[in-house]
Amino acid sequence: MSFEPWSRFGIEVPGRRFPPRPSLDGLSDEELLLLLAADDTESGTTSGTTSGTKADALRALAGREPAEGLLPLVPSLGTGNGRRPLPFLRRAVDRLGALAVPAARGWAVDEREWLARLGTDVLADHPGPEAIPGLVAELADQWEARAWCGPDETAKRLARFGPEAADAVPVLRAYWLHTPHSYERADYLQALAAIDPTGLDDAYTESLWDCEKRTRLLGIASAPHRPQTMERIAVLRDDTMR
């Protein structure tokens, strides 16, 4: 195994060399769930194999269509010390979307901190309409405090309500214009498009020059057909560095 980029400078990097881990992508959902349910499957908390087979199974599930059979297994998928979830569990649960809400109500009151946090996050990501005023107020408070980390999550939660969250539009526009975190602009633009798509032509056109790929792709998909935008899209198409 090469330890690039260090070895190209003649720098020797000591360390153990592990064989490549086998991929579980060829297994069915049912086979992956059986691995996760097995008591003797390594969870990556004891020795040499580190992340272990269960983490590999979760990684495979996280890239597939939702597997509801994962839900009853979630409480057993913490690390051996009980302090955190196994790698890729959150991503696999996120694939389930609102299907995870009923189970998450129980997780949220669990005495294990990692499971309670996971349950709370799932419930926060899938609130009912009664949560809209609180989310709008949260976004406004974040703006007043000039909180630049976190409003993108609030924006994504508001976006799920579509036009019902119209009161959030002014603050979302402010964040789109002024956030110093370029990687969050796509989330604000997507939220605006879901809640009130009118008047976004200029934002989509501007997005064609954005430094973030996600934002540029939104511009390519939705910018108005004007000579300027079509020329820019042609440049992006032919740019090998895009």
Side-chain angles (χ1 to χ4, degrees), residues 41-55 76-87:
T41 302
E42 293 192 33
S43 62
T45 62
T46 53
S47 60
T49 54
T50 59
S51 61
T53 306
K54 287 193 176 184
S76 68
L77 297 176
T79 56
N81 59 15
R83 294 179 180 175
R84 58 182 63 87
L86 288 178

Side-chain angles (χ1 to χ4, degrees), residues 8-171:
R8 61 191 290 253
F9 296 108
I11 301 173
E12 292 298 325
V13 181
R16 297 176 61 186
R17 300 190 176 192
F18 299 102
R21 297 186 62 78
S23 171
L24 301 183
D25 291 341
L27 299 184
S28 67
D29 288 358
E30 291 73 17
E31 290 170 319
L32 292 171
L33 292 171
L34 284 173
L35 285 174
L36 292 171
D39 291 337
D40 59 349
T41 302
E42 293 192 33
S43 62
T45 62
T46 53
S47 60
T49 54
T50 59
S51 61
T53 306
K54 287 193 176 184
D56 290 339
L58 288 167
R59 186 206 301 264
L61 285 176
R64 302 183 180 187
E65 292 300 310
E68 289 189 65
L70 174 65
L71 289 171
L73 302 178
V74 168
S76 68
L77 297 176
T79 56
N81 59 15
R83 294 179 180 175
R84 58 182 63 87
L86 288 178
F88 303 104
L89 177 60
R90 175 61 191 268
R91 195 180 301 178
V93 169
D94 284 345
R95 297 290 291 174
L96 290 158
L99 293 172
V101 169
R105 296 191 181 101
W107 303 340
V109 296
D110 196 277
E111 62 184 17
R112 286 166 288 183
E113 183 179 350
W114 70 265
L115 186 56
R117 187 184 309 117
L118 176 61
T120 300
D121 287 346
V122 170
L123 295 176
D125 285 340
H126 301 280
E130 69 280 356
I132 294 176
L135 288 170
V136 172
E138 177 183 320
L139 191 68
D141 289 344
Q142 289 168 324
W143 174 254
E144 287 299 319
R146 295 299 188 267
W148 305 118
C149 295
D152 57 323
E153 293 299 323
T154 310
K156 285 185 278 191
R157 288 163 181 166
L158 284 162
R160 293 188 175 97
F161 295 105
E164 292 182 83
D167 289 344
V169 166
V171 186

Side-chain angles (χ1 to χ4, degrees), residues 155-156 158-160 172 176 183-197 200 204 214-215 218:
K156 285 185 278 191
L158 284 162
R160 293 188 175 97
L172 288 170
W176 155 255
Y183 59 87
E184 294 185 353
R185 280 197 292 268
D187 295 317
Y188 299 129
L189 186 53
Q190 286 179 308
L192 285 167
I195 296 169
D196 182 7
L200 292 182
Y204 284 128
R214 283 200 305 144
T215 312
L218 290 173

Side-chain angles (χ1 to χ4, degrees), residues 176-177 182 184-190 192-193 199-224 226 228-229 232-233 236 242:
W176 155 255
L177 290 170
S182 61
E184 294 185 353
R185 280 197 292 268
D187 295 317
Y188 299 129
L189 186 53
Q190 286 179 308
L192 285 167
L200 292 182
D201 283 356
D202 288 344
Y204 284 128
T205 300
E206 180 182 337
S207 296
L208 295 172
W209 280 265
D210 201 276
C211 65
E212 295 290 336
K213 180 178 179 179
R214 283 200 305 144
T215 312
R216 292 197 301 273
L217 288 174
L218 290 173
I220 291 169
S222 301
R226 299 171 181 163
Q228 179 192 30
T229 58
R232 177 59 181 167
I233 290 172
L236 292 172
R242 67 185 183 280

